[in-house]
Amino acid sequence: MKLPRRQFLHLAAGAALPAVSRVAGAQAYPTRPVRVMVGFAPGQAIDIVTRIIGQRLSERLGQQFIIENRPGAGGNIATEVVARAPADGYTLLAIGSNNMINPTLYQNLNYDFIRDIAPVASVYRVPQVMEVNPSFPAKTVPEFITYAKAHPGEISFASAGNGSVAHVTGELFKMMTGVNMLHVPYRGAPPALTDLIAGQVHVMFDNVPSSIEHIRAGRLRPLAVTATTRLEALPDVPPLGDFVPGFETSAWAGIGAPKNTPAEIIDTLNREINAVLADRTIKTRIADLGGEMLALSPSEYKRRIAEETDKWAKVIKFSGAKAE
């Protein structure tokens, strides 16, 4: 059936309006404040870095990026909020390593992280530091392994909680060295560090930012870092992989959005975040925390997330760890 030319043009213009509006909306993004959900309490490494990035994004894009802390359930509360939010770019998630650990650790999550969260941009990764109380008899990783094997089940390793990076890094160490250590979970890194400094527990695999000042003050003795090379922040501390070949772990931080968020918005955020990461001042601040910038495209970040999820799934299954 042929339509009169005027009627055809009217219908064609009407059909095109929603698409034009969507593109125009994406190009104008953001036109109002953006919330960034952090699944942990203020002051933890992922919160600190997210606030640094959020402040710079506010300056660059002319709208506030408001950091909103929703701690609890290993970061699952914040993740579920974002998974259920409108896919319009105004509710974002601070992605952490917990998001790659939790799919195996928790049996009945109300979301599927890889399906429901679209990776936007990786921000940084920070290794862990294997550290002991200065009174502990081992001064190197080989000495620690020898001592632990001579005292099976008597060494306690602290963590920031079940499923934390500190926990699964300790389990990976057990898996790769064959030592038998007792896991002692705490509600966050600060109380775990307090007991480690007091000598109530023996060892911890903590994120560098939480421990670096204790190390510098001599309250803790670092044995190794879990990066593949020495860190600028701890140049005298060797990589753990020098003694346990192939050992490497990091805590990751990045930004995600609800699935189906327009590609134009994701590309805008990725471009702006990567521009922030290229700033020398930001690089210095992250390096001082013991971290390494990691600017990736959304597709590269998605691939890294899948790799980390598979890695931690093997460790959790080996250890038999369960959510609290």
Side-chain angles (χ1 to χ4, degrees):
M1 180 181 70
K2 290 186 177 181
L3 295 173
R5 185 172 184 274
R6 181 178 295 178
Q7 186 178 356
F8 172 80
L9 292 174
H10 176 75
L11 291 172
L17 278 174
V20 171
S21 298
R22 284 195 300 270
V23 172
Q27 289 174 341
Y29 173 87
T31 59
R32 54 188 170 86
V34 178
R35 295 189 306 160
V36 186
M37 312 299 293
V38 177
F40 300 91
Q44 298 204 41
I46 190 170
D47 175 74
I48 293 169
V49 173
T50 303
R51 289 179 187 277
I52 292 171
I53 300 301
Q55 180 181 346
R56 285 303 181 93
L57 287 177
S58 298
E59 295 167 0
R60 292 182 62 88
L61 293 173
Q63 291 289 342
Q64 271 193 302
F65 279 70
I66 301 167
I67 310 306
E68 189 171 323
N69 297 88
R70 292 285 188 94
N76 287 326
I77 293 173
T79 304
E80 186 172 350
V81 168
V82 178
R84 296 179 182 278
D88 56 9
Y90 289 95
T91 304
L92 305 176
L93 176 68
I95 295 176
S97 289
N98 58 291
N99 294 117
M100 296 126 209
I101 294 167
N102 290 348
T104 306
L105 188 69
Y106 289 81
Q107 301 302 309
N108 297 301
L109 292 176
N110 294 322
Y111 63 88
D112 182 315
F113 179 74
I114 290 179
R115 181 195 66 201
D116 295 334
I117 300 295
V120 171
S122 177
V123 173
Y124 90 140
R125 63 182 174 190
V126 61
Q128 287 66 60
V129 56
M130 181 183 180
E131 57 197 2
V132 296
N133 184 283
S135 65
F136 192 78
K139 293 181 171 59
T140 66
V141 172
E143 288 178 4
F144 182 93
I145 294 172
T146 299
Y147 185 90
K149 288 186 174 180
H151 300 82
E154 297 178 20
I155 304 298
S156 57
F157 81 93
S159 82
N162 260 1
S164 65
V165 179
H167 174 204
V168 294
T169 299
E171 296 293 352
L172 179 63
F173 183 81
K174 290 168 57 178
M175 187 173 80
M176 294 183 70
T177 62
V179 302
N180 180 11
M181 301 188 297
L182 174 67
H183 175 223
V184 182
Y186 288 79
R187 293 189 178 276
L193 289 168
T194 297
D195 274 7
L196 182 62
I197 292 168
Q200 300 300 312
V201 286
H202 300 107
V203 63
M204 187 171 177
F205 298 82
D206 189 35
N207 291 341
V208 172
S210 309
S211 288
I212 195 162
E213 293 306 321
H214 295 304
I215 291 169
R216 288 169 175 164
R219 291 186 288 269
L220 293 173
R221 178 195 297 147
L223 302 186
V225 293
T226 63
T228 55
T229 59
R230 291 178 185 249
L231 301 181
E232 182 179 334
L234 295 170
D236 298 327
V237 183
L240 209 159
D242 286 359
F243 314 106
V244 184
F247 197 103
E248 184 276 331
T249 65
S250 297
W252 287 53
I255 299 295
K259 69 177 180 180
N260 298 326
T261 297
E264 295 88 350
I265 290 176
I266 289 178
D267 290 343
T268 295
L269 286 167
N270 181 270
R271 181 178 64 252
E272 294 296 329
I273 290 170
N274 286 347
V276 171
L277 298 181
D279 184 280
R280 183 171 297 179
T281 302
I282 299 299
K283 284 184 177 180
T284 300
R285 292 182 71 180
I286 298 299
D288 286 344
L289 291 171
E292 174 192 359
M293 293 296 192
L294 198 64
L296 301 174
S297 69
S299 60
E300 290 170 333
Y301 192 23
K302 182 177 182 178
R303 184 169 63 252
R304 292 290 186 95
I305 286 172
E307 291 170 355
E308 286 287 295
T309 301
D310 289 343
K311 172 181 178 176
W312 290 127
K314 294 172 185 175
V315 175
I316 292 165
K317 289 173 182 176
F318 166 83
S319 69
K322 303 290 183 183
E324 293 174 330

